[in-house]
Amino acid sequence: MTAPVLQVEKLIKHFPVVRGVLRHTVGQIKAVDGVSFDLRAGETLCLVGESGCGKSTVGRTLVKLMQPTAGRIVLAGVDVTHLDDTAMRPHRRRIQMVFQDPYASLNPRLTAGEIVGEPLENYEALAGAAKDEKVAALLEKVGLRAEAMVKYPFEFSGGQRQRLGLARALALRPAVIVADEPVSALDVSVQAQVINLMMDLQEEFNLAYLFISHDLGVVEHIGHRIAVMYLGRIVELADKEALFAKPLHPYAEALIAAAPIADPRARRDQLVIEGDVPSPMNPPSGCHFHTRCPYAVARCRVEDPPLREVAPERWVSCHLREPAAPAAAI
Ligand code: SF4
């Protein structure tokens, strides 16, 4: 097995809550609360969960749009956790981000050529015909015509703008792309085209994707492994097939049960989770999911279950899924 291109260890991102004219810190929003995973070249790890579970904050922290509160980020063997903007610069080309809203993430005053060419200018000092040639090749790689170079973002459709975002992300040949809900703002028919393009690009460039999504239909199509997040933590991490066939964490079970299925004759057992997600400022004691979990027992209210490997490559944080104890020697 190849070495991971990205290693994330006990990542924490808390946001202080300040009040009053003296701006006293009165609490912390625990947006990301100890997230660990590896990402290998050529694989897609999907981060899924309800809105506000911390998945986008994980992505933004990994590309250093915000500094982590604690934990470790190792990118292609280099610990980049505490690097500031200047020190991060040579490593930034290895990890790029594609955003949910392609229109908001593209500078409306720049042409497509300038948008895709900007990283080439800044990181590779390319200019003139050499830059234009590379930009044209990148645009064609994502299914846009080279002549589109002179157009502005408003002249493209939503799907084309997301292709433009992909071309820009690809310009520096990154090892990792963090894609934050990259198709959720697009029509369903266009979603499939962009997802298929991402899969083709992954195969061609051996890209690793951290694919953040709330849409299990999309995740089932593109993902290799899936990490289910709840209140800033991963509660289950497994191969896609294993997770969809038999989710082991009650929250993962409920998410999958609620996902729409293409074949109406196929039935999934329904597990309905009631209530709202608790505040990440004041998460419940013990297992953070116990206030909504239909299987909760007394122990769940006081004891926090660690994320444990309950089977090869299968990690679950639930007291009901403790790995079997090794058989005693005779
Ligand atoms: Fe539910 Fe308890 Fe498992 Fe938490 S530890 S998911 S409350 S059964």
Side-chain angles (χ1 to χ4, degrees):
M1 190 177 289
T2 54
V5 285
L6 179 68
Q7 292 161 278
V8 181
E9 292 170 17
K10 297 183 179 155
L11 187 72
I12 290 177
K13 181 65 191 174
H14 291 178
F15 295 98
V17 179
V18 290
R19 292 248 168 83
V21 279
L22 296 177
R23 305 194 60 75
H24 285 306
T25 300
V26 295
Q28 298 282 337
I29 293 177
K30 297 169 181 168
V32 179
D33 202 19
V35 162
S36 302
F37 59 83
D38 286 348
L39 185 61
R40 302 171 200 124
E43 84 157 338
T44 300
L45 172 65
C46 297
L47 268 189
V48 304
E50 287 165 284
S51 172
C53 71
K55 54 192 191 305
S56 290
T57 307
V58 170
R60 283 164 187 267
T61 309
L62 293 181
V63 296
K64 304 300 290 289
L65 286 176
M66 48 181 75
Q67 286 295 333
T69 306
R72 199 159 169 259
I73 303 166
V74 179
L75 181 59
V78 179
D79 186 340
V80 298
T81 318
H82 302 293
L83 300 187
D84 61 17
D85 272 357
T86 315
M88 185 66 198
R89 193 177 152 77
H91 308 289
R92 200 174 287 285
R93 58 185 307 147
R94 295 182 189 279
I95 185 162
Q96 295 289 310
M97 189 152 186
V98 174
F99 296 89
Q100 174 180 9
D101 181 349
Y103 195 61
S105 65
L106 302 174
N107 187 335
R109 283 190 282 274
L110 298 184
T111 63
E114 288 165 333
I115 288 167
V116 178
E118 205 173 35
L120 297 170
E121 233 176 275
N122 292 342
Y123 282 82
E124 297 184 354
L126 279 187
K131 187 182 77 173
D132 288 349
E133 201 178 306
K134 201 148 182 191
V135 169
L138 282 162
L139 290 178
E140 280 168 9
K141 191 60 76 188
V142 298
L144 296 172
R145 293 155 67 96
E147 300 82 67
M149 232 191 282
V150 295
K151 289 187 177 178
Y152 287 88
F154 75 88
E155 297 177 86
F156 292 94
S157 67
Q160 288 173 326
R161 284 197 287 263
Q162 202 52 295
R163 287 172 189 266
L164 205 51
L166 278 166
R168 181 178 60 180
L170 276 181
L172 299 176
R173 290 290 170 94
V176 178
I177 290 185
V178 175
D180 187 4
E181 302 271 9
V183 295
S184 56
L186 306 176
D187 288 347
V188 175
S189 58
V190 182
Q191 282 186 0
Q193 294 167 14
V194 173
I195 292 291
N196 290 338
L197 169 66
M198 287 183 72
M199 291 168 80
D200 291 345
L201 294 171
Q202 178 172 57
E203 203 174 317
E204 182 169 352
F205 299 111
N206 204 24
L207 286 166
Y209 289 136
L210 180 66
F211 192 96
I212 298 165
S213 179
H214 68 278
D215 184 337
L216 286 171
V218 170
V219 160
E220 193 171 11
H221 188 60
I222 195 172
H224 297 118
R225 287 187 301 149
I226 296 176
V228 179
M229 281 189 74
Y230 185 76
L231 269 186
R233 295 175 174 182
I234 291 177
V235 294
E236 180 157 2
L237 172 59
D239 277 344
K240 172 181 72 181
E241 285 78 15
L243 187 85
F244 275 91
K246 189 171 179 12
L248 296 182
H249 191 281
Y251 179 63
E253 190 185 335
L255 272 190
I256 288 171
I261 39 181
D263 181 357
R265 289 164 302 180
R267 257 190 80 252
R268 280 182 181 140
D269 293 336
Q270 292 288 311
L271 174 69
V272 178
I273 299 290
E274 311 228 318
D276 295 327
V277 183
S279 163
M281 199 171 146
N282 190 20
S285 60
C287 172
H288 287 182
F289 189 55
H290 85 254
T291 51
R292 301 173 77 197
C293 180
Y295 308 123
V297 293
R299 181 184 177 193
C300 304
R301 285 188 272 281
V302 288
E303 208 180 312
D304 193 4
L307 188 68
R308 282 177 290 228
E309 191 169 20
V310 299
E313 299 281 318
R314 188 101 199 236
W315 298 76
V316 183
S317 149
C318 175
H319 293 310
L320 302 184
R321 300 293 182 183
E322 286 179 343
I330 300 170

